[in-house]
Amino acid sequence: PALRELSLALDSEDGSVIPALASATWAGLERLALETPVTISADLHALSAAAARFPALRALDLRCPDLENCGDALAELFEAFGERLVHLSIERCSIDFRSLAGLAMAALPRLETLSLSGCNLGADGLHLLARTPPGRMPRLRTLNLTGVYGDRAFFEARAPAAFPLLDLATGVRW
């Protein structure tokens, strides 16, 4: 039987297992969770380049303290895996506006659950998320914004156009 879920919590800033992980074939892997003390754009690029090695991947969880200046790498990651992801979690990250824009502009047609819990989106980031172009995440039903601060009223006014299946009363966690 193939491995269906893999969770790696890396506690060192020395080296990365991402290139080694990306060099193997994970035919049955449906969920990949990575927790790292630092984020290196090269690791995200390596993971994106290896997307074909993860044909069954439907859930991706990233926990890293810093996604600042990773906009291009994140956009590439969303493009590589976006068509098949049902669950995406980017939690407890420092994320800059450009990186968040990559998410807001990504085509994630099957995405049903998005968690940005504990990310420092700020008011501008929350506004950007609320203005996600219609059709980018048409199946989104659950959005976790726990610990995210910003203009909730603005978000709730704009979100229905961006996320037609998202029930603001039951599908959003603040």
Side-chain angles (χ1 to χ4, degrees):
L3 183 66
R4 293 180 57 190
E5 293 188 17
L6 179 61
S7 180
L8 296 173
L10 309 173
D11 62 2
S12 172
E13 296 180 14
D14 299 328
S16 174
V17 299
I18 304 298
L21 178 70
S23 69
T25 298
W26 303 87
L29 193 68
E30 296 172 3
R31 175 182 292 274
L32 177 60
L34 298 172
E35 184 171 352
T36 64
V38 295
T39 305
I40 300 170
S41 288
D43 288 342
L44 297 176
H45 286 298
L47 192 57
S48 300
R53 296 180 176 274
F54 300 87
L57 193 70
R58 301 292 178 266
L60 182 61
D61 301 323
L62 298 175
R63 287 189 180 169
C64 44
D66 185 10
L67 285 175
E68 301 279 340
N69 303 312
C70 290
D72 291 339
L74 279 175
E76 185 179 324
L77 188 73
F78 300 144
E79 184 176 328
F81 290 100
E83 290 292 321
R84 53 191 161 164
L85 286 181
V86 174
H87 169 89
L88 177 60
S89 177
I90 302 173
E91 296 188 351
R92 297 190 305 265
C93 294
S94 174
I95 187 166
D96 63 357
F97 193 77
R98 185 169 178 215
S99 298
L100 185 61
L103 173 61
M105 295 306 294
L108 302 167
R110 292 187 173 94
L111 193 69
E112 295 178 7
T113 303
L114 174 62
S115 179
L116 297 170
S117 175
C119 291
N120 66 336
L121 304 184
D124 289 342
L126 197 56
H127 279 215
L128 177 65
L129 187 62
R131 291 189 309 264
T132 296
R136 295 292 183 177
M137 299 179 210
R139 294 185 183 176
L140 190 69
R141 294 179 184 270
T142 304
L143 179 60
N144 185 352
L145 295 172
T146 304
V148 173
Y149 301 99
D151 187 346
R152 185 173 171 173
F154 178 90
F155 181 83
E156 290 177 344
R158 304 286 190 296
F163 315 113
L165 297 181
L166 182 64
D167 182 334
L168 293 173
T170 61
V172 180
R173 281 175 275 181
W174 292 96

